[in-house]
Amino acid sequence: EKETLDPVYIDYNHKNIVKGTKIELKTPNEGAEIYYTIDGSDPKVNGIKYTEALEINENITVRTYSKQDKKNDSIERNFEFKIGKKEQYKIYLSPSNQIIILE
């Protein structure tokens, strides 16, 4: 039985990023090659071999998987990138709604 490769990962919170951010795709399996697409197509059919960090300049979904001779391909993993900043929320507490415990 062949070993199955671990999925591709990134060391980045990909929910909200700044335009021009460079993202590195990684695999914990030494010697495995990473393939990806950014057009929504299947990376096992139309994948581009990963060789350098991807510069994200628009909202995209990167579909990835890794492969290596004599091993089963990893499962596909998708990363959705959104250009923008995290929203900040302010919470206001009304003094009349707080419980005060007196000892």
Side-chain angles (χ1 to χ4, degrees), residues 43-101:
K44 291 186 178 185
V45 176
N46 299 317
I48 301 165
K49 184 176 178 181
Y50 175 77
T51 57
E52 63 183 341
L54 305 176
E55 185 172 328
I56 309 299
N57 290 310
E58 61 186 333
N59 295 344
I60 63 169
T61 299
V62 178
R63 295 178 65 180
T64 67
Y65 86 103
S66 62
K67 73 177 190 174
Q68 188 173 7
D69 288 341
K70 300 181 182 176
K71 296 187 179 181
N72 292 320
D73 296 346
S74 73
I75 61 168
E76 183 179 319
R77 182 167 273 172
N78 301 328
F79 301 99
E80 187 175 332
F81 295 98
K82 301 268 186 202
I83 302 298
K85 296 181 180 179
K86 292 182 182 179
E87 292 184 27
Q88 292 186 348
Y89 297 98
K90 292 183 180 178
I91 299 173
Y92 296 96
L93 298 176
S94 170
S96 62
N97 290 338
Q98 295 178 14
I99 298 173
I100 299 174
I101 300 174

Side-chain angles (χ1 to χ4, degrees), residues 1-74:
E1 187 173 312
K2 296 192 293 185
E3 176 187 352
T4 299
L5 297 172
D6 293 321
V8 174
Y9 69 96
I10 59 174
D11 285 339
Y12 200 86
N13 178 359
H14 58 279
K15 296 299 178 190
N16 295 293
I17 64 171
V18 176
K19 184 176 181 178
T21 299
K22 291 191 177 188
I23 302 296
E24 291 186 25
L25 303 177
K26 300 180 181 188
T27 177
N29 303 100
E30 188 175 331
E33 297 177 331
I34 298 172
Y35 288 83
Y36 71 95
T37 61
I38 59 172
D39 63 0
S41 64
D42 185 343
K44 291 186 178 185
V45 176
N46 299 317
I48 301 165
K49 184 176 178 181
Y50 175 77
T51 57
E52 63 183 341
L54 305 176
E55 185 172 328
I56 309 299
N57 290 310
E58 61 186 333
N59 295 344
I60 63 169
T61 299
V62 178
R63 295 178 65 180
T64 67
Y65 86 103
S66 62
K67 73 177 190 174
Q68 188 173 7
D69 288 341
K70 300 181 182 176
K71 296 187 179 181
N72 292 320
D73 296 346
S74 73

